Amino acid sequence: MVQFSEVRAGGSYISQNDPRLHFGLGVEAKMDEVEIKWPSGKVEALRDVPADFIYTIVEGQGIVDRTPLPPP
């Protein structure tokens, strides 16, 4: 399965949208590959990324933090 999304800044006057991206994986326990295309033009690939976490990813540093999702 291949999914695509992008972060868009802003929203409307005096508001902001959540910049986090969410991907539903169904029964999959991990993402085989996550490719990030940064605004600088740099491309970063992460492999075997476990599901059910909120990840903080920094350009050039990869995953710098992960928070488990609460149980359903």
Side-chain angles (χ1 to χ4, degrees):
M1 163 186 354
V2 175
Q3 296 184 40
F4 169 86
S5 191
E6 58 186 34
V7 175
R8 293 183 182 96
S12 63
Y13 182 68
I14 309 179
S15 71
Q16 179 66 30
N17 295 325
D18 187 347
R20 297 178 294 184
L21 300 177
H22 177 266
F23 295 94
L25 303 178
V27 298
E28 299 298 323
K30 67 178 174 83
M31 295 167 274
D32 294 328
E33 182 177 50
V34 176
E35 184 178 274
I36 303 163
K37 295 179 182 177
W38 297 100
S40 68
K42 194 176 200 181
V43 177
E44 198 165 341
L46 308 172
R47 290 181 175 70
D48 298 320
V49 181
D52 298 329
F53 287 91
I54 297 171
Y55 290 97
T56 302
I57 303 168
V58 176
E59 183 176 3
Q61 297 179 36
I63 297 169
V64 297
D65 189 35
R66 69 181 198 172
T67 304
L69 290 176

